[in-house]
Amino acid sequence: MFNKFSELSIRYKLTLIMLLSSSIVLLFSSTAFMVNDLISIQRTMENELEVQTNMTAVSISFRVHFDDAEQTNNLLNALSENKNIVLAHVYKNEETGHVLFASYQRADLLSVKPIAPYTEHQLVSSTRFLQFSVPIYSPNQTYLGDLVLLTDRQAFYDRIKIYTSIALIIIVVSAFVAFLLSSRLQHIITAPILRLAHMTQRVSIEKNYALRIDPFPSKDEITTLFSGFNDMLGAIQERDKKLAQHNEHLERTVTNRTAELKKLNLKLTYQAYHDALTNLPNRALFIKRAEQAINHAEQNNEILAMLFIDLDRFKFINDTLGHAAGDRLLQEVSKRLLACTRLPEDTVARLGGDEFTLLLRDIKEPSNAAIVAEYIIKSLTSPLCFHEQELYITPSIGISIFPKDGRDVGTLMKNADAGMYMAKRQGRNNYRFYVHSANAASAARLNMENKLRQALEFEEFEVWYQPRFDIRKGVIVGAEALVRWRSPEFSLVPPAQFIPLAEDTGLIIPIGEWVLRTACQENQRWQRPNHAPLHVSVNLSARQFIQEDLLITIERIINELNMDPRRLELELTESLIMPNAEDTLETLKSLKRLGMQLSVDDFGTGYSSLSYLKRFPIDTLKIDQSFIRDLNHDSDDSALVTAIIAMAQKLRLSVVAEGVETREQLALLSSYECDYAQGYLCGKPMPAAEFRQFLEKPLDLKVLLAEK
């Protein structure tokens, strides 16, 4: 029922509500009126019955007192004038009990009997009848008996029927009038609502938010609704206008962003396949191009060459001069490599760090790859300028040939890398074709690197000491500390084999610190009362020298061992101190402030600048053994040695000659007024315990010279 009601229009809903409301009001008011009137009728009937009974009892009391039954009956029959009286009985009180003395019964209801005992002196009612009884007294108030009257309630029910009919007629008439009035009134309400609904539907279908509904002449809520609806349409129209502008702006933005994304995608794609520093193809693009070239070469029976190029001593330049110099160097190398190729057939790529690869397509024969390698080496011989300073760089190049050295990219790159390490082992600044033994050498190098990493942990390193003598006095003045590696697998490994590897891997830093601490501890054991102090000389690597905590580490070791810093000499090579002279000068000054001695090792083999040398707080120059070896046979070496000694004396520097092996060399050095000698003639490098025994009976150089 309620579902059907909800589906009706507002017009019919209002009509039904008005009809239902008015009908309910009329029904309740009519019912209240009828109930009130019927109650009044009921009470009237009861009052009339009581009055009639009392009056009749008084009028017949004399007749009953004198036992005049006939007159009593006559009086009772007079009650027939009242159509409602159905029965009247008089019961006289006798000695034997109450007996019916007189009676009246309406002719059409002769079978009706009292509905309650005559002794109940009160109103008693049933559905059809109403009974009332009263006692009868004589004039002297003697109880004579009882009078019972019974009235018919049919008039009451007839009145109910009449009232019900009247109420129904009133309700029907009222409902009809209410329907007519509600139909007219609801039209006044629903007409503007229907207009609003029609306009809403039209706007919804046409999507035309410029439409407006005409204002209603009244000033009620409907007019407010119309105004709100028009305002809403205006707001929607304004919103659509702004939305259209935003859409237009968004379309332009999307178009611009799409173009930017395309550019960015191209840029990201380029960056994903190119090195950011040099703009050369990176490893991923190189492998992709190499795979394409290999497929093409297989189909066309061509020969390819892959060159693996590593820059010699690049880490040293990068560490000493800074990353800016290293980056500038890599960019210049990239340009020179590109100039050595046939673009776009060939591909030059930077794999990372100082490693480059070059793919040569269709080279006809392997010797053409060698020609390109020689051209690359030649192009890199020219110095590179950085902040008015000339930098020299050399390459080590490994070459692998397709299909001889491999039929896939990984194998060719691995074999070219092995060839590059062969070039490094054979002096650098050259190229080598891959040979099968190179893989074995690479495996051996990797194995040695792994063992080297374990050597510190397993205490496989030893420090040996080579004595240094004062040539003039002929006495020992100290020793140089030299690291040795006693490996369970490789036995005693020569320094030339593992020191470069330690430099490349960075292990030289912890190894160097261990050597410095061990040498200082051993030096403490050499000192004897009433004897001249013996010093110890320790080499510093390039990686150690550029460490930020170098000064802190050295000072901590000296303080922990309570060692006189004047007994410690730090040896630095020319190649270490010359590239970045200004920073080197500050570091050297800081080391001198700690009180230790400084020497330049292998002097004469590097690119020394005498103008910087005189500014450095150097104490000693160590002449490289290459000048001492042929000292007594080569006049050039003799001239160089005397020049170095003379220069050192002018600069107030001490001079140590390394590699002294014969008495003739020692005699010449003595005649040149060289200060100190070190070499196999004076003593070979020896373990710490053996060196302490050597100190017990040291060699006397004067005796050695006299034996000559």
Side-chain angles (χ1 to χ4, degrees):
M1 177 180 178
F2 288 103
N3 290 335
K4 291 183 178 180
F5 179 78
S6 62
E7 294 174 358
L8 297 175
S9 64
I10 295 178
R11 177 179 180 182
Y12 289 110
K13 287 179 183 177
L14 289 174
T15 301
L16 288 177
I17 291 172
M18 291 180 182
L19 286 175
L20 184 61
S21 301
S22 59
S23 298
I24 291 174
V25 171
L26 287 172
L27 180 61
F28 277 109
S29 60
S30 300
T31 301
F33 175 76
M34 284 194 313
V35 170
N36 181 64
D37 193 43
L38 290 174
I39 291 173
S40 299
I41 294 172
Q42 175 75 11
R43 289 178 179 174
T44 300
M45 290 181 66
E46 291 174 355
N47 292 336
E48 287 180 352
L49 179 59
E50 289 180 7
V51 171
Q52 185 72 48
T53 302
N54 289 325
M55 290 177 60
T56 303
V58 172
S59 63
I60 65 172
S61 62
F62 291 100
R63 279 73 175 175
V64 175
H65 179 71
F66 293 106
D67 292 326
D68 187 353
E70 182 179 357
Q71 288 296 324
T72 302
N73 282 325
N74 289 336
L75 288 173
L76 292 178
N77 288 331
L79 295 174
S80 61
E81 294 181 358
N82 188 341
K83 301 297 183 181
N84 293 328
I85 301 298
V86 176
L87 176 147
H89 284 180
V90 175
Y91 295 92
K92 186 176 179 183
N93 184 23
E94 299 288 348
E95 292 179 358
T96 57
H98 286 76
V99 296
L100 182 61
F101 178 73
S103 65
Y104 161 74
Q105 192 94 17
R106 205 168 74 185
D108 57 338
L109 295 172
L110 295 177
S111 61
V112 175
K113 295 181 179 180
I115 60 177
Y118 56 82
T119 55
E120 291 188 13
H121 301 149
Q122 61 182 0
L123 285 171
V124 180
S125 63
S126 67
T127 305
R128 177 72 184 275
F129 303 105
L130 183 65
Q131 174 182 311
F132 188 70
S133 63
V134 295
I136 303 173
Y137 294 98
S138 63
N140 57 2
Q141 297 298 315
T142 300
Y143 174 65
L144 299 178
D146 297 284
L147 171 63
V148 177
L149 289 183
L150 186 67
T151 61
D152 190 354
R153 300 182 67 183
Q154 184 61 43
F156 176 72
Y157 290 117
D158 291 341
R159 183 69 62 86
I160 290 176
K161 292 179 180 180
I162 292 171
Y163 282 168
T164 302
S165 300
I166 293 172
L168 289 175
I169 292 170
I170 292 172
I171 290 173
V172 171
V173 172
S174 299
F176 179 72
V177 174
F179 175 76
L180 295 178
L181 291 175
S182 63
S183 297
R184 178 58 183 166
L185 292 175
Q186 61 82 24
H187 178 72
I188 297 174
I189 298 174
T190 58
I193 296 178
L194 291 175
R195 286 175 57 197
L196 181 60
H198 175 71
M199 180 60 70
T200 303
Q201 186 177 16
R202 182 181 173 189
V203 170
S204 177
I205 294 173
E206 298 178 6
K207 305 298 182 183
N208 183 8
Y209 300 109
L211 296 173
R212 296 292 185 271
I213 189 169
D214 296 332
F216 203 66
S218 63
K219 295 183 179 180
D220 54 9
E221 291 82 356
I222 294 179
T223 303
T224 304
L225 181 62
F226 280 14
S227 299
F229 181 77
N230 288 335
D231 293 342
M232 181 185 68
L233 290 179
I236 293 175
Q237 186 178 12
E238 184 65 24
R239 184 208 63 186
D240 283 358
K241 182 179 179 181
K242 292 181 179 180
L243 187 59
Q245 295 174 349
H246 284 302
N247 286 338
E248 183 180 356
H249 175 70
L250 182 60
E251 289 177 357
R252 291 196 303 268
T253 302
V254 169
T255 302
N256 295 335
R257 288 292 186 271
T258 302
E260 292 175 0
L261 286 175
K262 288 181 180 178
K263 293 181 181 178
L264 181 60
N265 186 44
L266 292 175
K267 182 178 180 181
L268 291 176
T269 303
Y270 182 84
Q271 291 176 348
Y273 288 104
H274 289 80
D275 176 58
L277 178 63
T278 63
N279 287 325
L280 292 178
N282 59 12
R283 180 184 294 271
L285 183 56
F286 180 79
I287 292 175
K288 185 177 180 181
R289 290 185 180 178
E291 289 174 346
Q292 295 172 351
I294 289 173
N295 292 334
H296 184 271
E298 286 181 340
Q299 296 172 4
N300 296 276
N301 196 26
E302 295 176 353
I303 300 177
L304 302 179
M306 188 174 292
L307 280 65
F308 201 103
I309 306 166
D310 185 85
L311 303 181
D312 302 328
R313 298 177 65 254
F314 174 76
K315 289 183 179 179
F316 175 74
I317 294 176
N318 206 32
D319 292 340
T320 55
L321 298 183
H323 292 287
D327 292 346
R328 179 68 185 88
L329 178 63
L330 292 174
Q331 291 170 343
E332 183 61 29
V333 169
S334 301
K335 293 178 181 178
R336 297 189 184 186
L337 290 177
L338 288 173
C340 298
T341 59
R342 305 166 300 169
L343 296 176
E345 290 84 0
D346 302 333
T347 298
V348 180
R350 181 189 176 208
L351 300 186
D354 60 344
E355 294 179 342
F356 296 84
T357 51
L358 174 57
L359 178 65
L360 302 177
R361 305 180 64 167
D362 191 17
I363 60 172
K364 306 303 180 184
E365 56 185 30
S367 60
N368 291 332
I371 294 174
V372 174
E374 291 175 354
Y375 190 34
I376 291 173
I377 294 173
K378 183 179 179 181
S379 69
L380 294 181
T381 55
S382 301
L384 294 85
C385 294
F386 181 76
H387 290 176
E388 299 181 355
Q389 184 172 359
E390 290 186 346
L391 302 179
Y392 291 87
I393 195 73
T394 58
S396 294
I397 305 173
I399 306 173
S400 61
I401 303 297
F402 170 87
K404 180 175 71 70
D405 299 328
R407 306 189 68 89
D408 60 86
V409 178
T411 303
L412 289 172
M413 290 184 67
K414 180 187 70 173
N415 292 338
D417 186 43
M420 180 270 295
Y421 276 107
M422 290 177 59
K424 281 188 176 294
R425 286 193 296 271
Q426 295 180 15
R428 305 186 180 188
N429 195 27
N430 58 22
Y431 67 90
R432 287 293 181 271
F433 281 93
Y434 165 76
V435 293
H436 181 70
S437 60
N439 276 339
S442 297
R445 172 186 167 88
L446 181 61
N447 182 41
M448 180 172 286
E449 180 180 334
N450 293 333
K451 297 299 181 182
L452 186 62
R453 293 183 183 277
Q454 301 172 1
L456 265 178
E457 180 182 355
F458 296 150
E459 299 181 352
E460 297 176 2
F461 289 110
E462 299 177 1
V463 179
W464 289 22
Y465 302 91
Q466 186 175 28
R468 179 188 298 178
F469 281 82
D470 187 323
I471 297 177
R472 295 185 182 88
K473 297 179 181 179
V475 298
I476 187 169
V477 293
E480 179 180 359
L482 302 169
V483 65
R484 295 291 185 266
W485 177 19
R486 192 177 298 278
S487 170
E489 180 175 343
F490 306 118
S491 187
L492 191 62
V493 183
Q497 290 187 13
F498 72 87
I499 292 297
L501 185 59
E503 288 273 6
D504 291 341
T505 59
L507 292 172
I508 195 65
I509 295 175
I511 293 174
E513 182 176 345
W514 178 84
V515 170
L516 178 63
R517 178 180 292 276
T518 303
C520 291
Q521 287 176 333
E522 185 64 23
N523 179 261
Q524 294 286 75
R525 298 188 182 100
W526 301 344
Q527 312 308 320
R528 295 181 180 182
N530 303 320
H531 284 74
L534 298 176
H535 72 267
V536 64
S537 177
V538 180
N539 290 278
L540 280 185
S541 70
R543 296 291 288 270
Q544 284 179 282
F545 190 71
I546 62 174
Q547 289 296 307
E548 294 183 355
D549 60 347
L550 173 66
L551 297 174
I552 298 175
T553 301
I554 295 175
E555 187 175 13
R556 183 181 69 248
I557 292 174
I558 291 175
N559 292 335
E560 289 176 357
L561 300 177
N562 195 26
M563 177 184 178
D564 185 352
R566 293 174 297 179
R567 300 202 307 268
L568 175 61
E569 180 181 271
L570 299 178
E571 294 189 11
L572 307 101
T573 62
E574 282 185 291
S575 59
L576 184 153
I577 63 176
M578 295 311 299
N580 197 353
E582 293 300 329
D583 291 341
T584 299
L585 178 61
E586 293 302 320
T587 304
L588 294 179
K589 287 181 178 179
S590 299
L591 291 172
K592 285 298 293 181
R593 282 194 288 269
L594 293 178
M596 59 199 62
Q597 303 294 303
L598 300 176
S599 66
V600 177
D601 195 13
D602 301 333
F603 186 79
T605 60
Y607 304 97
S608 298
S609 171
L610 299 181
S611 62
Y612 278 119
L613 184 59
K614 69 179 183 179
R615 294 174 54 196
F616 289 162
I618 300 297
D619 300 292
T620 304
L621 297 180
K622 299 187 71 174
I623 303 176
D624 186 69
Q625 61 182 348
S626 62
F627 300 113
I628 305 299
R629 185 180 300 115
D630 297 324
L631 183 62
N632 53 337
H633 303 297
D634 192 326
S635 59
D636 291 337
D637 287 343
S638 178
L640 286 172
V641 170
T642 55
I644 293 173
I645 294 173
M647 177 191 67
Q649 291 174 348
K650 292 294 183 182
L651 294 174
R652 294 183 295 280
L653 301 178
S654 300
V655 179
V656 178
E658 294 183 299
V660 179
E661 298 180 355
T662 65
R663 290 185 177 90
E664 291 79 5
Q665 294 170 348
L666 181 61
L668 286 173
L669 291 171
S670 177
S671 65
Y672 297 158
E673 297 184 358
C674 182
D675 299 303
Y676 303 102
Q678 179 180 328
Y680 277 24
L681 179 66
C682 304
K684 295 181 179 181
M686 58 194 79
E690 186 177 336
F691 183 76
R692 287 196 294 272
Q693 293 178 358
F694 181 82
L695 291 177
E696 296 294 332
K697 296 180 179 180
L699 181 68
D700 190 341
L701 287 189
K702 290 184 177 180
V703 175
L704 191 62
L705 286 172
E707 291 177 355
K708 177 183 177 183

